[in-house]
Amino acid sequence: MALLEIRNLHATVDNKPILNGVDLILDAGEVHAIMGPNGSGKSTLSYVLAGRDGYDVTDGEVLYDGRDLLAMEADERAREGVFLAFQYPVEIPGVAGLTFLKTAANALRRHRGEGELDAMDFLKFVRDKADSLDINADMLKRAVNEGFSGGEKKRMEILQMAVLEPRLAILDETDSGLDIDALKVVADGVNALRGPERGMLLITHYQRMLDYIVPDRVHVLAHGRIVKSGDKSLALELEAKGYGEYLDAAE
Amino acid sequence: MVANVDALEQVQSLGEQYKYGFVTDIDVDLAPKGLNEDIVRLISEKKGDPEWMLEWRLKAYRHWLTMEEPRWQKVAFAPIDFQDAYYYAAPKLSDKPKSLDEIDPKLLETYEKLGIPLKEQEVLAGVEGAPRVAVDAVFDSVSVATTYKAKLEEIGVIFCSISEAIKDHPELVRKYLGSVVPYADNFYATLNSAVFTDGSFVYIPKGVRCPMELSTYFRINQENTGQFERTLIIADEGAHVSYLEGCTAPMRDEHQLHAAVVELITLDDAEIKYSTVQNWYPGDAEGRGGIFNFVTKRGACRGRNSKISWTQVETGSAITWKYPSCILQGDNSVGEFYSVAITNNAQQADTGTKMIHIGKNTSSRIISKGISTGRADQTYRGLVRMQRGAHGARNYTQCDSLLIGDQCGAHTVPYIECQNPTAQVEHEATTSRIGDDQLFYCRQRGLSNEEAVSLIVNGFCREVLQTLPMEFAVEAQKLVGISLEGSVG
Ligand SMILES: Nc1ncnc2c1ncn2[C@@H]1O[C@H](COP(=O)(O)OP(=O)(O)O)[C@@H](O)[C@H]1O
Ligand SMILES: [Mg+2]
């Protein structure tokens, strides 16, 4: 059984059709890249999968481990192992990063019937993961994403992913706004989380990140539909030719 | 000790309702219903007041008869029938118990349920290794127990009920009672002066830093009673004390009046930190029942370099109406007011502070965080007055409101009076809503809607919650979550 199976997914925002029949199958252990021009519906797809309010599914279905993903509330999906690294991570003033991480980790642990971690145990659990992402204790004390640089925000997203250990991770333009050093740190973090149980959707506009995180498949999303799929070479082809062809083809 | 506000533990206890709503079935000594001079005399007699105390009460009562209930506050409620209440209710005890072993087990059980330690070796619920807290427990009209009294006496700290202080330390009480809140101050304070039944008294002698937190725990149990407690805290030169106040009441369909008066006095170089976690029964979702919390709290920084700091977390009561204030008389004295007020359902709050700058180089800081949800309405009302002699005085006010839902309201009413050109007043105010993007972000990490709101609100209040002593900070964070229940989705 596939980890994620998207069939003929249609979705609207404010009654405006954005997704127009997305089909995609992701197996556990695989990493798929979704590429596409700006405004093609990449973020919309990630929000629909994560269950954001205001994104209305008008047709199609999504199976997660064979279960109806769309029937679950957003927080339930998260507790069941669906993780979204946001294109624009949100600030939560006054809530320390460590507190936020621990609250989330314990919500998941409770759900899995595991005991909650206290502050000391949790700090031990987080420290190594944070170190490898160049996140120091100071940054964990600061309020979530408040005053963070673009790179800090993205590293914090990956740290959350490392802590929450999802089965399905959707990374929405995690590479955008990163310089090459930061990109490497993030890519190493993501690669470290690849595993036979986990599937990932890497949403990106540029193929640059795919040099570091090599995908099993590449899909092109245009006008709310997957218009072409292929292997890694498709990304290089897109890089060379640009998206012009798909903009026209999908009209 | 200031807590590292790690706003997580609160999450576990979400989903609890008002958990202090039970009633203790205990024999009570009730004065007849209603209010007249005889009732005042009866209360005075029950308390064993000296003559001067009775005179003071009568003076207040007679003055009260000439006063009108204030109506300027932005809260709405049906008129209170002052004749339809009991002004004295005391659990039947032959005498105040000499030791904790003599306390009625039902009372001990009540405080145990409330998580208040009346056994001296214990600490507040769930906080291991926390410093010890001395407790004065006020049940309806009387103080039923004060812990650690003897230990505190060794270093000269007086911590007892105000009734005992009136008998045992009349010189201190006569000198300071009514010196900050005069008997004729305002309608409710005057009523309190006439009929107050108990409360706490603290005196910290010169140069003493009180080695433990002192606290009073107020519990209204009896139906149809008003609670009129009176608290008086004096920090002599160079003395320091941190004092906590907590309150709960059973769930009842009728409103009950709580009209307390708190007076604080600091002499040269002294400091009082006064923290309140107010969790009186707020009434039900339709606005039936709940406590009317009409309280006068005022501190006088009489001495140079002295400091008074108020922190309040107001989550309970049907109506909260109070302005813990500082009169900054001594040069270089400092006043602080940190407030979190949460109103949900039909709750109303009109709260804030007054900072009266009289001395030179006095400074004050006001941080107010108001959270409104449901159909609740909330007003921050604050006065900053720089008097003529307040050279170089400074005030900073920050007033933030957070709205959840679209049926609630928040209002900010700052009054600034400046009679000294060298004084500086700075005021900032914001109103915001919890963003859908914040909620979604939290939920995407596995938090339920309510956990998400609680976390975001705790973050919003962090600056204030951080000022609470650790014993109360964890409780307060949980309370924030509980009081927001039903505010979303
Ligand atoms: N909240 C919204 N309201 C209306 N239109 C939206 C909203 N969000 C996205 N869109 C529109 O949906 C389309 C797809 O957007 P998005 O999914 O963000 O694309 P991408 O992530 O591929 O750049 C765009 O035309 C965008 O303007
Ligand atoms: Mg996007």
Side-chain angles (χ1 to χ4, degrees):
Chain A
M1 192 198 332
L3 176 63
L4 180 71
E5 191 168 343
I6 304 174
R7 289 193 201 134
N8 190 34
L9 185 63
H10 286 69
T12 61
V13 180
D14 287 339
N15 294 317
K16 179 177 159 197
I18 312 283
L19 299 183
N20 303 303
V22 175
D23 289 289
L24 191 147
I25 291 179
L26 175 73
D27 284 323
E30 291 192 344
V31 174
H32 289 199
I34 298 179
M35 304 183 69
N38 282 329
S40 59
K42 301 185 296 296
S43 291
T44 301
L45 176 62
S46 71
Y47 288 147
V48 169
L49 293 176
R52 184 165 193 163
D53 287 340
Y55 290 73
D56 300 318
V57 174
T58 51
D59 202 1
E61 62 179 346
V62 179
L63 298 178
Y64 171 62
D65 245 347
R67 296 160 60 196
D68 181 1
L69 183 71
L70 303 176
M72 296 184 219
E73 290 290 326
D75 47 328
E76 209 180 332
R77 296 183 201 190
R79 290 192 294 268
E80 287 291 337
V82 176
F83 179 88
L84 170 62
F86 284 61
Q87 182 174 2
Y88 303 107
V90 180
E91 294 180 6
I92 309 184
V95 177
L98 194 64
T99 302
F100 184 70
L101 275 170
K102 190 179 135 191
T103 307
N106 279 336
L108 266 61
R109 291 180 70 94
R110 269 202 311 277
H111 179 70
R112 296 176 191 146
E114 297 164 5
E116 296 188 25
L117 295 174
D118 66 24
M120 287 313 289
D121 289 341
F122 185 71
L123 199 60
K124 274 186 219 145
F125 174 67
V126 165
R127 193 167 283 148
D128 289 346
K129 300 178 197 295
D131 282 351
S132 65
L133 286 161
D134 273 351
I135 293 173
N136 59 23
D138 232 33
M139 196 168 142
L140 289 172
K141 271 188 215 148
R142 286 161 60 191
V144 180
N145 293 319
E146 206 178 35
F148 281 23
S149 69
E152 286 175 329
K153 284 182 184 168
K154 298 299 172 77
R155 279 186 278 139
M156 198 65 175
E157 292 292 292
I158 302 306
L159 177 60
Q160 292 177 45
M161 173 166 129
V163 165
L164 299 179
E165 302 176 326
R167 290 211 58 209
L168 171 64
I170 305 158
L171 281 64
D172 190 1
E173 299 211 24
T174 300
D175 54 334
S176 62
L178 297 185
D179 62 28
I180 196 70
D181 295 325
L183 182 65
K184 278 183 191 155
V185 170
V186 165
D188 287 348
V190 173
N191 282 326
L193 291 168
R194 288 178 84 150
E197 295 295 313
R198 185 168 292 142
M200 295 189 194
L201 290 180
L202 293 185
I203 294 174
T204 181
H205 186 67
Y206 305 103
Q207 83 87 35
R208 191 175 65 146
M209 181 167 64
L210 306 182
D211 288 340
Y212 299 97
I213 310 171
V214 180
D216 298 294
R217 298 282 291 165
V218 174
H219 308 279
V220 180
L221 185 74
H223 294 282
R225 210 178 276 133
I226 304 280
V227 294
K228 190 167 184 180
S229 298
D231 61 14
K232 164 84 173 76
S233 62
L234 179 56
L236 294 168
E237 186 186 314
L238 283 170
E239 169 110 313
K241 293 200 207 149
Y243 288 109
E245 157 190 5
Y246 299 102
L247 292 173
D248 296 332
E251 280 313 332
Chain B
M1 192 196 303
V2 167
N4 168 21
V5 178
D6 188 32
L8 345 126
E9 269 70 24
Q10 91 275 7
V11 168
Q12 295 146 15
S13 61
L14 287 169
E16 290 174 52
Q17 293 290 336
Y18 188 78
K19 60 176 179 181
Y20 308 107
F22 61 89
V23 179
T24 307
D25 183 16
I26 195 162
D27 279 345
V28 286
D29 186 5
L30 269 182
K33 236 183 198 180
L35 185 55
N36 52 51
E37 229 172 272
D38 287 342
I39 292 287
V40 176
R41 286 176 192 280
L42 181 78
I43 291 169
S44 190
E45 195 187 310
K46 291 263 180 206
K47 306 304 300 179
D49 277 351
E51 189 59 27
W52 58 267
M53 196 66 249
L54 173 64
E55 285 311 314
W56 200 71
R57 289 178 184 277
L58 288 172
K59 202 163 56 174
Y61 176 70
R62 287 168 196 147
H63 186 77
W64 182 73
L65 291 175
T66 69
M67 297 173 96
E68 297 253 349
E69 250 177 288
R71 284 287 172 198
W72 49 262
Q73 69 276 30
K74 195 178 177 326
V75 297
F77 57 95
I80 300 172
D81 181 353
F82 290 94
Q83 296 308 331
D84 190 32
Y86 294 102
Y87 288 82
Y88 184 81
K92 272 197 181 128
L93 314 161
S94 46
D95 226 333
K96 178 155 177 172
K98 301 266 177 309
S99 84
L100 294 170
D101 304 332
E102 293 172 30
I103 296 178
D104 187 320
K106 274 186 187 159
L107 282 178
L108 279 180
E109 205 180 293
T110 300
Y111 284 93
E112 208 168 291
K113 270 200 212 170
L114 296 169
I116 305 304
L118 289 189
K119 295 194 189 112
E120 296 198 341
Q121 70 277 17
E122 290 179 1
V123 296
L124 273 187
V127 187
E128 276 176 44
R132 286 182 292 198
V133 178
V135 178
D136 184 24
V138 177
F139 192 87
D140 288 333
S141 301
V142 295
S143 163
V144 292
T146 311
T147 62
Y148 289 110
K149 262 178 84 166
K151 225 183 173 68
L152 291 166
E153 262 166 30
E154 286 169 22
I155 50 166
V157 170
I158 304 171
F159 179 41
C160 61
S161 70
I162 191 110
S163 323
E164 288 168 280
I166 289 167
K167 281 175 229 152
D168 302 341
H169 307 283
E171 68 301 337
L172 285 170
V173 177
R174 287 189 83 161
K175 182 165 175 192
Y176 291 108
L177 186 78
S179 75
V180 188
V181 180
Y183 75 88
D185 191 80
N186 71 73
F187 186 84
Y188 294 102
T190 302
L191 177 61
N192 174 289
S193 303
V195 301
F196 77 88
T197 43
D198 225 328
S200 301
F201 176 83
V202 176
Y203 172 76
I204 314 289
K206 273 185 196 167
V208 171
R209 195 173 263 274
C210 190
M212 57 177 90
E213 303 280 347
L214 302 185
S215 80
T216 301
Y217 194 87
F218 295 103
R219 172 79 179 165
I220 297 181
N221 186 62
Q222 183 61 36
E223 227 169 326
N224 293 324
T225 48
Q227 192 177 41
F228 303 94
E229 87 267 357
R230 185 108 200 168
T231 294
L232 178 58
I233 302 177
I234 303 136
D236 212 324
E237 291 170 21
H240 281 239
V241 64
S242 169
Y243 180 91
L244 321 169
E245 173 200 90
C247 7
T248 57
M251 292 155 80
R252 296 191 191 283
D253 287 344
E254 303 82 32
H255 293 293
Q256 281 176 281
L257 178 62
H258 172 253
V261 173
V262 175
E263 296 177 276
L264 312 181
I265 295 116
T266 49
L267 303 186
D268 286 358
D269 305 304
E271 179 175 342
I272 298 175
K273 179 178 169 61
Y274 192 107
S275 312
T276 304
V277 174
Q278 185 267 106
N279 187 24
W280 294 117
Y281 176 55
D284 68 11
E286 275 71 52
R288 266 191 307 266
I291 301 292
F292 287 168
N293 189 36
F294 299 166
V295 168
T296 305
K297 288 181 166 170
R298 197 175 300 156
C301 286
R302 299 242 163 99
R304 296 169 58 88
N305 310 317
S306 67
K307 177 173 173 183
I308 287 177
S309 180
W310 299 99
T311 296
Q312 60 173 22
V313 176
E314 303 281 327
T315 63
S317 295
I319 302 178
T320 294
W321 177 31
K322 57 182 269 203
Y323 312 91
S325 304
C326 299
I327 301 169
L328 303 168
Q329 287 167 281
D331 291 348
N332 310 319
S333 60
V334 177
E336 292 176 339
F337 174 71
Y338 296 100
S339 171
V340 167
I342 300 181
T343 45
N344 193 356
N345 295 318
Q347 283 179 280
Q348 306 173 71
D350 189 316
T351 184
T353 184
K354 286 187 262 182
M355 293 290 174
I356 312 296
H357 292 252
I358 300 171
K360 293 191 191 83
N361 299 315
T362 48
S363 69
S364 62
R365 183 177 167 82
I366 299 171
I367 308 285
S368 162
K369 305 277 181 178
I371 299 105
S372 230
T373 179
R375 288 170 291 118
D377 211 17
Q378 196 177 120
T379 302
Y380 166 83
R381 192 185 300 276
L383 168 68
V384 176
R385 178 188 295 151
M386 300 296 185
Q387 296 203 356
R388 207 167 311 240
H391 299 289
R394 291 177 311 280
N395 162 266
Y396 173 74
T397 299
Q398 185 190 323
C399 214
D400 299 321
S401 305
L402 186 69
L403 302 175
I404 306 171
D406 51 14
Q407 291 179 64
C408 52
H411 318 274
T412 301
V413 190
Y415 303 88
I416 296 169
E417 298 171 12
C418 192
Q419 294 155 6
N420 185 306
T422 66
Q424 287 173 30
V425 179
E426 207 181 325
H427 179 95
E428 288 177 23
T430 66
T431 299
S432 54
R433 288 178 186 277
I434 290 189
D436 287 345
D437 54 345
Q438 289 178 323
L439 277 177
F440 176 60
Y441 191 63
C442 292
R443 294 185 68 202
Q444 211 303 302
R445 299 304 185 242
L447 277 62
S448 69
N449 230 332
E450 289 193 336
E451 288 169 329
V453 169
S454 167
L455 187 77
I456 294 166
V457 171
N458 265 301
F460 174 77
C461 305
R462 175 172 159 139
E463 235 181 312
V464 171
L465 297 181
Q466 265 177 335
T467 68
L468 283 173
M470 190 170 68
E471 291 72 28
F472 267 23
V474 176
E475 275 301 300
Q477 287 169 27
K478 287 186 194 169
L479 207 52
V480 166
I482 294 165
S483 8
L484 289 167
E485 214 149 83
S487 62
V488 279

